[in-house]
Amino acid sequence: MLWLKAFHLIAIICWFAALFYLPRLFVYHAMSEDHTSRERFKIMERKLYRGIGTPSLIATVALGLWLSAGNWDYYRASGWYWLKMALVAVLIVYHFVSGHYLKQFRDDRCQRSHVFFRWFNEFPVVLLVGIVILAVVKPFH
């Protein structure tokens, strides 16, 4: 079970690395004014989202469900677990919203400003804080 937990944590770290960096790339992409820079950002964003972000999301969810199944009676009755799962669900939506913006940038039709993406970039931090506190402190059962 410890190996499973270790790989789950590795997947989480990789996923969050992508969730933190992709919107930062969007900031720079939205600020870019030349064709060469915009094309470079498109490649970086696509590789990060498809090559790291999405596979890490899948691994995180799969390993998390596997861990949960190992002690399902406990998790099923724990309020903190369900709140954590709700935050993870919001994070998954955030991931796919990021994919939506990636497609808009790819098609040269994103109308959002670099200021928007600076704020957008902060959202997963809030979710991370909540998820970690719930998983570690388990404030209510």
Side-chain angles (χ1 to χ4, degrees):
M1 203 52 99
L2 290 178
W3 281 101
L4 191 60
K5 188 180 284 189
F7 285 116
H8 179 60
L9 289 171
I10 291 165
I12 291 167
I13 291 165
C14 292
W15 186 28
F16 267 96
L19 291 176
F20 290 154
Y21 190 47
L22 185 61
R24 181 54 47 186
L25 289 175
F26 292 162
V27 169
Y28 300 137
H29 193 154
M31 292 174 62
S32 65
E33 297 179 2
D34 62 287
H35 177 75
T36 303
S37 294
R38 288 191 299 270
E39 292 304 309
R40 184 179 306 119
F41 283 120
K42 289 177 187 180
I43 293 167
M44 293 170 68
E45 291 159 357
R46 185 189 78 244
K47 287 183 176 184
L48 179 61
Y49 186 79
R50 290 186 185 164
I52 297 171
T54 300
S56 298
L57 157 66
I58 293 166
T60 296
V61 171
L63 293 167
L65 290 172
W66 192 358
L67 280 167
S68 296
N71 197 5
W72 183 241
D73 289 335
Y74 168 72
Y75 291 119
R76 184 181 56 212
S78 299
W80 67 267
Y81 175 82
W82 293 107
L83 182 53
K84 183 185 116 174
M85 289 300 101
L87 293 179
V88 170
V90 171
L91 195 62
I92 292 168
V93 170
Y94 179 89
H95 177 94
F96 288 109
V97 169
S98 295
H100 171 73
Y101 288 127
L102 181 141
K103 289 175 187 171
Q104 286 185 346
F105 276 118
R106 179 198 65 199
D107 298 338
D108 296 317
R109 58 183 177 82
C110 187
Q111 300 297 315
R112 300 286 188 175
S113 72
H114 68 93
V115 174
F116 169 82
F117 286 113
R118 288 180 194 279
W119 285 103
F120 183 74
N121 190 46
E122 301 305 321
F123 189 65
V125 175
V126 175
L127 293 174
L128 176 65
V129 169
I131 291 166
V132 169
I133 288 172
L134 288 166
V136 173
V137 178
K138 299 172 179 54
F140 51 91
H141 295 279

